[in-house]
Amino acid sequence: MSDLLDLIENVPEDLSYEHYRELVELLNRYARAYYVDDNPIVPDSEYDRLYRELEGIERNTEFKDADAPTRRIGDAILNSFATVTHGVPLMSLGDIFNDEELQAFNKRMLESTVSAPEYCAEPKLDGLAVSIIYENGILVRAATRGDGTTGEDITANIKTIKAIPLKLALLANEDNEYAAKEIPQYLDVRGEVFMPRDGFHKWNEEAKKKGQKPFANPRNAAAGSLRQQDPRITASRPLTFNAYYVGDCRGAHGEGMDEIMPSTQYGRLQFVKSLGLPVNPLVRVTNGLEGLRDFYEFMGQKRPSLNYDIDGVVLKLNNIALQEELGFTAKAPRWAIAYKFPPEEEMTEVLNVDYQVGRTGVITPVARLKPVYVGGTTISNCTLHNEEEIKRLGLKIGDTVIIRRAGDVIPQITRVVVEKREDKDPATLKDVVFPTTCPVCGSALERVGDEVAARCTGGLVCAAQQRQAIEHFAERTAMDIDGLGERIVEALVDQNLVKNIADLYTLTVEQLEKLIIDSNSKEERTRLLGKTTAQKLIDNIAKSRQRPLNRLIYALGIRDVGSTTANVLATNFKTLADLMQATKEQLTTINTIGEVAATHITDFFAEPHNQEIIARLFAEAKLEISACEQVSEMSLDTKPYLNKTFVLTGTLSHLKRDQAKQLLESLGAKVAGSVSKKTFAVVAGAEAGSKLTKAQELGITVYTEEEFLELLKKHNITV
Ligand code: 9MJ
């Protein structure tokens, strides 16, 4: 309500038409710098401020000029789109897919020219082709390609796209040989409407949060957005536009195309750019077969890092006179071709579903596919992420699926082609049955709280987790086995000397001295561990037999049991045997142990494989575990920042602000929004502003992000 009052009361001081025009032109100039020149001249906030002033003037006057950016969203909601007949048909392009076909195309072009043909080479944008008509510089109509002859009138929707000018304007500083000298009387420009990848991902994230269905890919998103009957919906979608062809043009005094426009395709693109229409910055002029090959290579390499989808390159004879000589086939121009990249989406069959166990015990279902060439490589496996995803897809083994490999993204199954089930023998379709035990070690799986991941509970025995489990066991803050680092553990496991932590205590000097250590530098070659180092390591392993209980509990690597929780457990249960008997109810009566941690603890000890290893630790390895170290201090230590107030400011790069807040709270701290004398410390990320200044004025401790991460580490929190 107060926003509304604000709007009504906020009457701009200057309501003159001159000022109104000044604002319209300024805003249009800023938009052009942003969209066409890719060179913004003012920050978004300044644009927004002027835009609001313009809205204020329009509310209080009769001014409503057609080229004002406020005119982008009309209020009419359409019931259907009118059909329009294109003055000049919108062509489609012939496709080629390999170098042989490229050679053939180049040869045909050679026949029409004396020397190596000159080409205008363009990225092939994967969006929707549209024709936009300007009369005396004003956008009057826009239509979809349709069948090439007739399309649908989408003028209201096209006007909402900020990259498309509502009114053409000549380039201000004119040093471009191709620039237009006058605004044409008539211009029919063709190009592609598309949704940039960042906007697409952001849009989908929002849609998911709102419980709406996300778009499958940016092309569908662009098509769906242009098909809206309410232009306000189109306006809310992050669409943009690149011009790539002039269908028709007449000069200000009725001149024909050839009189006022440059004589090359490249020149014509610069001509429309000079009128304020965005043109793709990667368009190049190139020569002969080698030039075409280079451009195709170049765009193929650029493709993953672009912020928009392309599905190939478009190669056009640059010289317009030669284009006219060659003319058209029934369907497409003879002087242009689309050289497609290998497809990013293909259909294939799911042969089976396997389950992989990650280093932390997470179970990942993987679809085994009938090999298929997609996005430039042959794919035969594809992650299914988790059980939820399998349910979401409704996947059965034997199904035909669409697999997509876009840009640098790992291959995904985007949907099941349910219609194909009709063609199959029902006996070949099998339900996907998610396992209940670990496919590597047979331990039970757990799924705790609202986690989607299923995890193996056999942390001590599972071969998939063994390296990580042993490294963790030997850590300084755990059993503190000096010399048992990553490389030695890797060698011990690979050379079958150790499978689990109990095996460590069975090692002999004779075995260890012959351990082959792989070097990770080129200069140093593979070597043997040697007698001296082997003896030292054996001594260190022996020393680790006598450690306090809290360290042993931590060293077992139970999920969610960091050293702080291990301390709490060791003060509450005097022996490991006691802890192993504890029920979930008993555990949750301890102040700092929540439902999730309690579940992890009981699941871990319920697993017979883990029990076996623990039994061996005591029976064979003969651990002599002492009571928890520094018991009284330790229990206090669980909340080291109890009631201390922290303030977070600036941008943190390693973790989200919410996450930082949660972690601080887990250490007992409070997190406040502003700095005062009572603040204990400020964590300042990049571009911290007034809060940092205030903290410095008040002499409050300020941690940089690095220092903050160190601090967390000290309390056994790694991010
Ligand atoms: C795309 N899709 O990027 C043409 N296109 O030219 C480019 N399409 C085209 N040119 C004439 N860059 C007909 C289609």
Side-chain angles (χ1 to χ4, degrees):
M1 192 62 197
S2 70
D3 280 357
L4 199 61
L5 283 177
D6 219 33
L7 279 177
I8 296 166
E9 282 168 10
N10 235 333
V11 181
E13 276 175 27
D14 188 348
L15 292 175
S16 70
Y17 184 65
E18 287 67 37
H19 182 55
Y20 176 72
R21 280 309 308 167
E22 207 175 12
L23 281 178
V24 168
E25 269 150 42
L26 206 54
L27 283 165
N28 287 344
R29 182 134 52 85
Y30 292 160
R32 178 172 175 152
Y34 186 90
Y35 291 107
V36 183
D37 306 334
D38 204 10
N39 185 20
I41 29 190
V42 289
D44 291 355
S45 56
E46 174 66 1
Y47 183 94
D48 294 344
R49 193 183 65 74
L50 297 174
Y51 188 93
R52 282 196 301 274
E53 190 180 346
L54 189 76
E55 283 182 317
I57 301 180
E58 290 191 341
R59 264 198 311 278
N60 291 284
T61 64
E62 294 295 302
F63 311 149
K64 281 185 172 45
D65 285 3
D67 61 334
T70 40
R71 295 275 76 72
R72 288 197 177 275
I73 311 171
D75 26 37
I77 297 180
L78 309 166
N79 291 323
S80 63
F81 298 108
T83 303
V84 285
T85 303
H86 301 299
V88 175
L90 265 79
M91 310 165 277
S92 60
L93 295 168
D95 285 336
I96 56 171
F97 296 92
N98 54 47
D99 193 73
E100 217 179 343
E101 291 172 318
L102 181 71
Q103 290 175 43
F105 169 72
N106 184 59
K107 194 156 166 255
R108 287 201 301 278
M109 297 305 105
L110 252 175
E111 283 159 11
S112 70
T113 60
V114 230
S115 54
E118 188 177 81
Y119 294 100
C120 182
E122 307 169 10
K124 185 170 185 308
L125 305 163
D126 197 11
L128 257 94
V130 296
S131 137
I132 308 174
I133 294 178
Y134 289 89
E135 280 175 8
N136 298 314
I138 303 290
L139 192 163
V140 292
R141 202 188 71 197
T144 59
R145 179 176 176 280
D147 62 6
T149 311
T150 57
E152 286 180 321
D153 186 332
I154 51 162
T155 314
N157 287 344
I158 285 292
K159 278 184 168 178
T160 68
I161 300 173
K162 296 197 188 78
I164 300 175
L166 296 175
K167 185 183 174 191
L168 301 178
L170 295 174
L171 196 66
N173 55 344
E174 186 168 330
D175 52 1
N176 182 335
E177 60 174 307
Y178 302 116
K181 309 278 184 299
E182 288 181 295
I183 299 290
Q185 207 176 75
Y186 183 87
L187 175 72
D188 176 354
V189 64
R190 278 86 192 271
E192 204 86 350
V193 170
F194 58 99
M195 191 179 280
R197 284 181 182 157
D198 56 358
F200 164 76
H201 291 304
K202 203 162 149 221
W203 173 261
N204 267 0
E205 284 309 311
E206 293 294 318
K208 276 188 234 162
K209 270 190 218 153
K210 288 187 224 151
Q212 297 166 352
K213 198 167 170 262
F215 287 114
N217 55 53
R219 205 195 109 80
N220 287 6
S225 302
L226 272 189
R227 225 179 286 120
Q228 294 296 324
Q229 292 181 338
D230 181 351
R232 284 171 302 188
I233 298 182
T234 312
S236 72
R237 308 279 169 89
L239 297 176
T240 191
F241 172 79
N242 277 179
Y244 53 63
Y245 188 66
V246 179
D248 202 359
C249 182
R250 264 192 310 281
H253 315 283
E255 307 95 318
M257 291 229 266
D258 296 345
E259 280 174 84
I260 60 154
M261 284 213 295
S263 59
T264 58
Q265 160 71 8
Y266 183 81
R268 288 185 174 188
L269 291 183
Q270 303 313 309
F271 177 90
V272 292
K273 188 174 174 201
S274 80
L275 290 167
L277 285 151
V279 169
N280 190 283
L282 297 169
V283 171
R284 300 276 184 274
V285 172
T286 178
N287 278 291
L289 185 61
E290 278 314 307
L292 295 182
R293 281 180 177 148
D294 287 351
F295 187 75
Y296 179 78
E297 275 295 299
F298 166 72
M299 285 310 309
Q301 273 164 19
K302 269 225 160 289
R303 187 184 193 192
S305 62
L306 294 175
N307 189 27
Y308 46 85
D309 282 1
I310 58 173
D311 57 349
V313 296
V314 180
L315 310 169
K316 300 174 182 170
L317 211 51
N318 199 26
N319 186 313
I320 302 283
L322 289 177
Q323 286 184 5
E324 284 167 4
E325 252 176 55
L326 281 169
F328 298 81
T329 65
K331 281 192 257 156
R334 289 203 177 85
W335 44 264
I337 203 87
Y339 187 4
K340 293 283 206 67
F341 291 136
E344 292 201 313
E345 266 192 8
E346 272 299 348
M347 245 183 345
T348 189
E349 250 171 66
V350 173
L351 304 176
N352 205 351
V353 175
D354 284 345
Y355 300 87
Q356 284 176 351
V357 189
R359 270 168 63 89
T360 57
V362 173
I363 312 292
T364 307
V366 178
R368 305 290 173 209
L369 306 169
K370 195 163 149 195
V372 60
Y373 190 69
V374 48
T377 33
T378 302
I379 308 281
S380 41
N381 303 310
C382 175
T383 177
L384 287 162
H385 303 287
N386 50 53
E387 193 175 4
E388 284 302 304
E389 177 69 3
I390 297 174
K391 286 196 188 128
R392 190 187 70 79
L393 289 166
L395 179 75
K396 287 178 189 281
I397 294 167
D399 259 333
T400 299
V401 293
I402 305 284
I403 176 143
R404 180 172 170 81
R405 183 174 174 275
D408 49 0
V409 182
I410 55 165
Q412 305 284 337
I413 291 180
T414 56
R415 70 180 178 90
V416 171
V417 190
V418 182
E419 308 83 68
K420 289 270 179 190
R421 285 185 185 161
E422 286 169 18
D423 311 339
K424 295 181 188 179
D425 172 2
T428 61
L429 287 172
K430 287 192 221 108
D431 284 337
V432 180
V433 184
F434 207 86
T436 51
T437 55
C438 173
V440 172
C441 72
S443 300
L445 300 188
E446 65 167 7
R447 206 179 271 101
V448 177
D450 49 12
E451 284 183 351
V452 282
R455 288 173 197 273
C456 165
T457 55
L460 295 184
V461 278
C462 184
Q465 301 173 70
Q466 61 194 173
R467 266 168 61 178
Q468 170 149 316
I470 297 166
E471 277 167 33
H472 174 79
F473 186 79
E475 253 177 42
R476 198 174 50 76
T477 46
M479 299 301 265
D480 193 11
I481 307 178
D482 203 18
L484 193 59
E486 206 176 311
R487 265 209 289 170
I488 306 276
V489 172
E490 185 182 340
L492 286 171
V493 171
D494 289 352
Q495 290 160 54
N496 283 328
L497 289 178
V498 168
K499 282 198 174 59
N500 55 57
I501 52 175
D503 292 344
L504 288 173
Y505 296 92
T506 65
L507 288 169
T508 62
V509 176
E510 289 69 38
Q511 282 175 319
L512 272 183
E513 66 180 339
K514 288 190 228 101
L515 192 71
I516 304 164
I517 308 295
D518 252 348
S519 146
N520 49 10
S521 79
K522 274 193 191 129
E523 295 80 50
E524 201 189 323
R525 279 182 314 185
T526 303
R527 61 184 170 85
L528 299 183
L529 190 65
K531 196 167 180 124
T532 322
T533 320
Q535 184 60 57
K536 258 196 220 152
L537 189 52
I538 292 289
D539 293 347
N540 290 341
I541 293 173
K543 264 194 261 169
S544 77
R545 286 198 168 89
Q546 285 137 6
R547 296 280 181 239
L549 179 60
N550 53 307
R551 282 173 174 259
L552 174 64
I553 296 172
Y554 173 61
L556 293 176
I558 308 165
R559 254 183 86 66
D560 262 8
V561 179
S563 62
T564 313
T565 306
N567 292 333
V568 175
L569 293 171
T571 51
N572 282 276
F573 299 91
K574 297 290 170 252
T575 66
L576 192 68
D578 286 349
L579 174 61
M580 290 172 76
Q581 302 298 323
T583 61
K584 230 197 264 188
E585 291 67 35
Q586 280 171 320
L587 287 165
T588 46
T589 56
I590 304 171
N591 233 344
T592 49
I593 310 284
E595 192 70 32
V596 172
T599 309
H600 286 308
I601 296 165
T602 47
D603 284 353
F604 183 89
F605 289 122
E607 174 50 52
H609 296 96
N610 290 341
Q611 291 171 9
E612 201 181 301
I613 302 286
I614 292 168
R616 275 187 60 205
L617 279 179
F618 285 93
E620 284 174 36
K622 304 219 180 325
L623 294 194
E624 297 163 24
I625 296 303
S626 52
C628 179
E629 57 193 334
Q630 304 159 0
V631 174
S632 54
E633 257 176 65
M634 276 294 170
S635 38
L636 256 187
D637 205 21
T638 57
K639 298 275 179 199
Y641 296 109
L642 197 66
N643 294 328
K644 301 262 191 301
T645 307
F646 279 71
V647 172
L648 299 166
T649 180
T651 315
L652 300 174
S653 57
H654 288 82
L655 69 177
K656 296 219 174 79
R657 200 179 274 212
D658 267 352
Q659 201 187 353
K661 182 166 179 263
Q662 265 179 15
L663 292 175
L664 280 168
E665 284 169 353
S666 77
L667 296 172
K670 285 192 269 192
V671 177
S674 59
V675 177
S676 73
K677 270 190 295 189
K678 291 198 187 127
T679 308
F680 172 72
V682 170
V683 178
E687 287 165 38
S690 60
K691 288 179 199 172
L692 172 59
T693 321
K694 186 152 181 202
Q696 285 164 340
E697 279 166 14
L698 293 172
I700 288 166
T701 309
V702 176
Y703 294 113
T704 61
E705 181 168 0
E706 261 53 56
E707 290 167 341
F708 176 53
L709 295 177
E710 270 309 303
L711 187 88
L712 291 175
K713 222 187 207 164
K714 263 210 302 215
H715 298 288
N716 295 304
I717 300 175
T718 37
V719 179

